[in-house]
Amino acid sequence: MKKSRWKKMRYEESLDCWVVVWDDETGYRMRCGEWFELYLGYGKVLSCRLELGRDWYIITGQHEVRFYLKQNETYQVNL
């Protein structure tokens, strides 16, 4: 079985940051300025950068469009 390149990214309230969970259940803390691909579904992928203002958000595209992340959601990402 082929491993998926997509990993779960979820918000860890105790750390106040987003964490990517590897296959062995260890986590990688995401930091401001990190680039990653966000899986939108149906084969659609968004290249984006993580940032923190009052809340965590991503920036994408040449016009630097911003989308806020929902802390109660789990996202599929590729680093």
Side-chain angles (χ1 to χ4, degrees):
M1 185 168 102
K2 184 179 174 184
K3 281 188 176 182
S4 172
R5 68 179 181 162
W6 302 107
K7 306 299 178 210
K8 292 179 183 176
M9 183 177 79
R10 62 178 179 237
Y11 182 74
E12 291 291 337
E13 191 170 353
S14 62
L15 301 172
D16 190 28
C17 68
W18 289 88
V19 175
V20 175
V21 181
W22 304 121
D23 293 331
D24 62 1
E25 293 302 314
T26 59
Y28 172 75
R29 290 172 141 183
M30 296 289 285
R31 295 173 176 79
C32 288
E34 291 208 53
W35 284 90
F36 59 95
E37 293 179 313
L38 177 66
Y39 181 69
L40 301 176
Y42 301 103
K44 302 293 183 189
V45 175
L46 190 65
S47 178
C48 53
R49 183 177 81 229
L50 183 67
E51 295 294 343
L52 176 63
R54 288 187 178 154
D55 292 309
W56 290 97
Y57 62 94
I58 58 171
I59 295 177
T60 187
Q62 68 184 48
H63 299 293
E64 297 198 344
V65 177
R66 297 165 191 229
F67 294 100
Y68 283 89
L69 298 173
K70 295 176 74 172
Q71 293 180 358
N72 62 338
E73 293 287 331
T74 298
Y75 298 95
Q76 298 294 315
V77 300
N78 180 39
L79 299 180

